[in-house]
Amino acid sequence: MSNTEIQSKVNELRELRRMADELTAEIESIQDAIKAHMTAIDADTLTGADYKIIWKAVTSSRFDSTAFKNAMPELAERFTKSATSRRFIVA
């Protein structure tokens, strides 16, 4: 791939990411408006002709690895494994 082709792809990628950010913001805005309405009417479920919206609290339990590492650093070290990955960044 030539430098010109790469530059074109980078420009296209930047534009698509900008558009994705705009779409994400619009999606969040619409969701926030629906959530505000649900809060106002004190509902955790809305049902329509072709949709059902559920917005309710969910409780989950997660392992607190930071607290475990602080409390038992030797044991945490024994059960820690490293992983390598590659990160793609366009600056």
Side-chain angles (χ1 to χ4, degrees), residues 10-26:
V10 167
N11 291 342
E12 182 179 5
L13 180 59
R14 285 179 175 157
E15 177 63 16
L16 289 171
R17 284 183 175 172
R18 185 194 60 73
M19 291 167 56
D21 289 344
E22 288 178 4
L23 286 173
T24 298
E26 183 66 23

Side-chain angles (χ1 to χ4, degrees), residues 43-72:
D44 61 2
T45 304
L46 290 178
T47 305
D50 64 343
Y51 66 87
K52 182 175 184 180
I53 301 168
I54 301 170
W55 184 48
K56 59 183 177 180
V58 177
T59 304
S60 63
S61 298
R62 290 186 167 70
F63 182 72
D64 186 348
S65 63
T66 303
F68 181 70
K69 287 176 187 175
N70 290 336
M72 303 183 149

Side-chain angles (χ1 to χ4, degrees), residues 66-83:
T66 303
F68 181 70
K69 287 176 187 175
N70 290 336
M72 303 183 149
E74 299 85 16
L75 191 57
E77 181 67 29
R78 281 185 38 211
F79 289 94
T80 300
K81 66 178 184 178
S82 297

